[in-house]
Amino acid sequence: MSTDLTLPKKRMFSNYTDIPLDKVDLDPENPRLVHIEDKLTDKEIEVYLFDEEDGRRLYKQLKQDEQIFEEVWLQKIGDRYKVREGNRRVTASKRVMRDIEAGKLEGFNADNYRMIPSKIFKDDIREKDIDMFLGTLHITGKKAWSAANKGHHIFKMITEYNESAEAVAEQLGITEAGVNK
């Protein structure tokens, strides 16, 4: 049994850049899909992530913010990129882009969605290192704020920025009752 379960001490990505969204493919090996027996096409993955994995909330957030804030992690394969972290963000971005191009979203700047902020894994990164990284993000995750910290931040958003509880709830993707706790 291997005991080499630590992330590499070197930088895991080669650069941070914007990548054209149309050069990005979803990851058919995404852990969110392991319970699905059949191999899914990119379009089927997109539909699943949008419908079953809260993609609608991300879509709504992207429309509200008119951009994507958090970068995705990509692996370069030939002249394309495979999403290793951020499949839901890519799915929501592609949906927004299509809706803008189809005229379903008026007043939106398509240029805000054509490129996606990305970190590109180094070519020599091991699959094991990527899996360890993804496990750290999704299993351990960031340390959650305490209820008091969350409450203080919500209070600050309402009082210092003169926002309504409804507006703050909308921005944070929670219910107004959650804001008023």
Side-chain angles (χ1 to χ4, degrees):
M1 181 191 292
S2 171
T3 59
D4 180 26
L5 290 180
T6 58
L7 290 172
K9 303 296 183 218
K10 62 182 182 174
R11 204 172 187 180
M12 294 178 67
F13 63 95
S14 58
N15 62 342
Y16 178 84
T17 187
D18 289 334
I19 298 294
L21 191 57
D22 62 0
K23 291 266 192 194
V24 176
D25 300 316
L26 298 172
D27 184 359
E29 312 251 330
N30 182 329
R32 294 181 192 276
L33 307 173
V34 296
H35 64 285
I36 300 172
E37 291 182 20
D38 298 330
K39 183 174 173 152
L40 302 177
T41 66
D42 212 56
K43 183 65 181 157
E44 290 169 330
I45 295 169
E46 186 178 319
V47 168
Y48 175 81
L49 292 175
F50 191 79
D51 291 342
E52 303 296 328
E53 292 292 333
D54 208 14
R56 283 183 169 75
R57 185 186 61 75
L58 275 174
Y59 174 87
K60 187 176 179 182
Q61 189 74 44
L62 284 175
K63 286 190 333 184
Q64 179 178 317
D65 297 339
E66 295 189 36
Q67 62 185 309
I68 186 167
F69 288 121
E70 188 177 354
E71 74 276 352
V72 297
W73 287 73
L74 305 175
Q75 186 173 29
K76 190 166 180 17
I77 301 173
D79 66 342
R80 299 196 58 80
Y81 297 86
K82 178 168 78 169
V83 180
R84 298 309 305 266
E85 166 53 28
N87 284 276
R88 292 172 56 243
R89 279 170 272 153
V90 168
T91 293
S93 296
K94 286 183 176 191
R95 183 74 58 110
V96 169
M97 220 17 243
R98 270 199 312 276
D99 286 353
I100 291 170
E101 290 172 345
K104 294 179 183 176
L105 295 176
E106 295 181 17
F108 284 83
N109 183 352
D111 290 337
N112 290 350
Y113 302 96
R114 283 188 213 292
M115 306 290 278
I116 192 158
S118 308
K119 286 185 177 176
I120 312 302
F121 280 109
K122 287 186 170 185
D123 291 337
D124 65 348
I125 192 86
R126 300 177 307 172
E127 188 67 23
K128 180 179 184 178
D129 295 331
I130 294 173
D131 283 340
M132 292 299 297
F133 166 73
L134 293 174
T136 301
L137 285 181
H138 290 281
I139 297 168
T140 309
K142 290 182 181 178
K143 180 164 176 25
W145 286 352
S146 70
N149 298 140
K150 291 176 185 178
H152 180 270
H153 195 75
I154 289 170
F155 179 77
K156 177 182 176 182
M157 292 174 75
I158 293 170
T159 58
E160 287 188 27
Y161 306 120
N162 199 29
E163 293 290 343
S164 68
E166 180 182 12
V168 170
E170 180 78 19
Q171 178 62 35
L172 297 177
I174 61 176
T175 65
E176 194 172 342
V179 166
N180 292 323
K181 270 186 177 178

